[in-house]
Structure formats: structure tokens, C-alpha cells
Amino acid sequence: MSKEKSIQDILESATEEGRTNLTEFESKQILRACEIPTTKTELVNSKLEAIRAARTIKYPVVAKITSPDILHKSDIDGVRVGLASEIEVRHAFDDVMASAKAQFPDADIWGVTIQEFIPQEKEVIIGVTQDPSFGPTIIFGLGGIWVETLEDVSFRLPPISIEEAEKMIEEINGYPILAGARGGKPADIETLADIIQKIGDLVMEYEQISEIDLNPVFAQKEGEGATAVDARIMLKDTKDDSEED
Ligand code: ADP
Ligand code: MG
């Protein structure tokens, strides 16, 4: 499937269904089409399929509830990480389905994703927000408490070059953590810059996209890559007043 086709198809079917948010599953398909590194991910609808997927992906795996109506999956206990056996995958499937149904009885539940488990090294966020005056704006920061409590982030207007993406990374106060302060190993900054640049190109090419939230991206050591372990793409609300049906 060509890059154009797969991304356009996903955006169109969401729009046809009147949705402005893509699931993590769809968002990761778009990342893959853009060659942005993300987890191997399969969407399953039964415990048997979940076990098959886990075997293909290889243990350990992660299981997550998948619904366009559930944006914050761990808030409803919809994420299970580090599943190492068939028994654990079975239980995780039942548990995340049960908690979603209990807390969001009306949600449209697509199933559960089984994903590759990525070891956590350094955690960052990469995204696109809408600035009231400038429009789409790329955002980069360290993940977890760094972004939530310290607002240690950098911004750029897309599109940007790799060099500019590297500057965005160097600009944050927490940069020494990524660069390997106090004898720590440096993170794979080259791959992070590549992801930032590609996210900028993606939002420039598809103007239906309003926001992107790769939260978190796990960065491994220099030369070992980085992976978007969660992804959420939001679309512009294109509904106009003229009802078409
Ligand atoms: P939420 O919708 O709540 O943001 P996430 O998909 O971000 O859910 O998952 C919650 C947390 O679980 C992440 O912040 C990360 O620490 C961990 N996690 C999620 N996916 C993976 C994965 N594939 N490998 C390893 N850890 C993961
Ligand atoms: Mg997340």
C-alpha cells in the first residue's frame, strides 16, 4: 500500500464516521506509513487471537483497550505492560475489556491491541499542538513529571530540518539528561530528531490533522533507536452547517 493511500484512507474513514480522534491503533498505522518507529501492534477481539498475536510479536507484550471513545487508557485501567506468558495475556485481555465496559458502558470498543514491549530507557514527548496565532506547532520535551510539572518544552513551526530538530532537543533545560549527564549513557538523539522532523512533515502534508501526541516516546541509548509507544492523532472538526446526508 502506498504511503498516500494508507494515510488518506485512515483519515477519510474517521471523518466519515464523524470522529475527530483516531485510536492509538490508527495513529500508529500512520506513523508506520511515515517511517516513524513505533511498536509492532495487532488489534484482536478474543483471547485466542491475543495469544496468537503475542506469539507472533514475541513476549513480553503489552495489552491496551482500543476504543475511539477512550482517550486516556490508563485512567480506566486499560493498559497492561510486561505480559510474559499466555496466562498473563488471557487475564490482561479480560481485565482491560471488563474495566472499559464497567467505566464506559456506552463506548464503542474495537478490542484490545497486543504490542511489543519496549524497555524504558529515557522518556520524551513529541507532538503537534495548535497555536491560536501560528497554527500547527511542533512540541518536544522530556516525558513524565518533566513536561507536566516543569513545562520544560521547546516549540517550532513546521516544516523543520533535522538540524533544527536537533536544536529543539538541545534547547530544553533537561537536555543534559538526554546527552548523558553524570556518566549516564547518551540517548539516541539522532532518531529523536528524525521523528520530530517527520512529525512536522506529516502535519504539513495532511492539513486535516489538528494535533499529534506521541506520549511517551522511549529513547534507547545512542545508536539503538527510539520508539513511539503511545500515539494519538486528532483531526480538525470539518463538519459544516449544511447537513449532507
Ligand atoms: P495512556 O492512554 O494512558 O496515555 P499509554 O499507551 O501511554 O496509555 O500507556 C501508559 C504507559 O504504559 C506509558 O506511559 C508507558 O510507560 C507504558 N507503555 C505503554 N505502551 C508500552 C509499550 N509498548 N512498551 C512498554 N511500555 C509501554
Ligand atoms: Mg500515553
Side-chain angles (χ1 to χ4, degrees), residues 20-58:
T20 52
N21 58 290
L22 303 184
T23 59
E24 174 187 347
F25 183 68
E26 293 167 304
S27 304
K28 285 182 169 177
Q29 285 180 310
I30 292 181
L31 297 187
R32 226 164 275 123
C34 298
E35 297 179 342
I36 293 171
T38 186
T39 56
K40 287 180 198 141
T41 305
E42 286 189 36
L43 180 60
V44 302
N45 276 291
S46 69
K47 279 178 274 194
L48 191 63
E49 279 179 19
I51 288 165
R52 270 199 213 120
R55 263 184 216 151
T56 316
I57 288 168
K58 293 195 172 42

Side-chain angles (χ1 to χ4, degrees), residues 73-74 213 215-216 230-231:
K73 300 170 295 283
S74 31
D213 195 16
N215 183 7
D230 187 19

Side-chain angles (χ1 to χ4, degrees), residues 37-178:
T38 186
T39 56
K40 287 180 198 141
T41 305
E42 286 189 36
L43 180 60
V44 302
N45 276 291
S46 69
K47 279 178 274 194
L48 191 63
E49 279 179 19
I51 288 165
R52 270 199 213 120
R55 263 184 216 151
T56 316
I57 288 168
K58 293 195 172 42
Y59 289 96
V61 294
V62 174
K64 297 185 198 176
I65 194 70
T66 301
S67 162
D69 302 320
I70 301 173
L71 301 183
H72 301 288
K73 300 170 295 283
S74 31
D75 285 1
I76 62 128
D77 206 16
V79 177
R80 290 285 187 287
V81 300
L83 308 171
S85 65
E86 290 192 2
I87 293 280
E88 286 181 26
V89 169
R90 276 174 187 280
H91 284 150
F93 182 92
D94 284 341
D95 290 352
V96 298
M97 288 292 266
S99 57
K101 282 178 181 155
Q103 293 181 66
F104 277 91
D106 299 326
D108 173 18
I109 294 171
W110 289 8
V112 172
T113 54
I114 301 297
Q115 322 184 350
E116 187 183 2
F117 172 83
I118 307 294
Q120 182 173 7
E121 192 79 34
K122 304 262 164 65
E123 190 179 335
V124 305
I125 59 140
I126 297 173
V128 171
T129 59
Q130 285 292 330
D131 180 271
S133 352
F134 298 114
T137 307
I138 309 172
I139 177 169
F140 171 81
L142 291 180
I145 58 152
W146 292 88
V147 64
E148 278 154 28
T149 57
L150 302 172
E151 296 179 5
D152 181 19
V153 289
S154 57
F155 296 97
R156 284 294 186 289
L157 297 182
I160 62 169
S161 64
I162 286 280
E163 291 72 30
E164 206 54 36
E166 278 168 0
K167 283 191 197 138
M168 262 187 100
I169 297 171
E170 288 162 13
E171 233 167 70
I172 60 168
N173 296 322
Y175 175 66
I177 292 172
L178 295 176

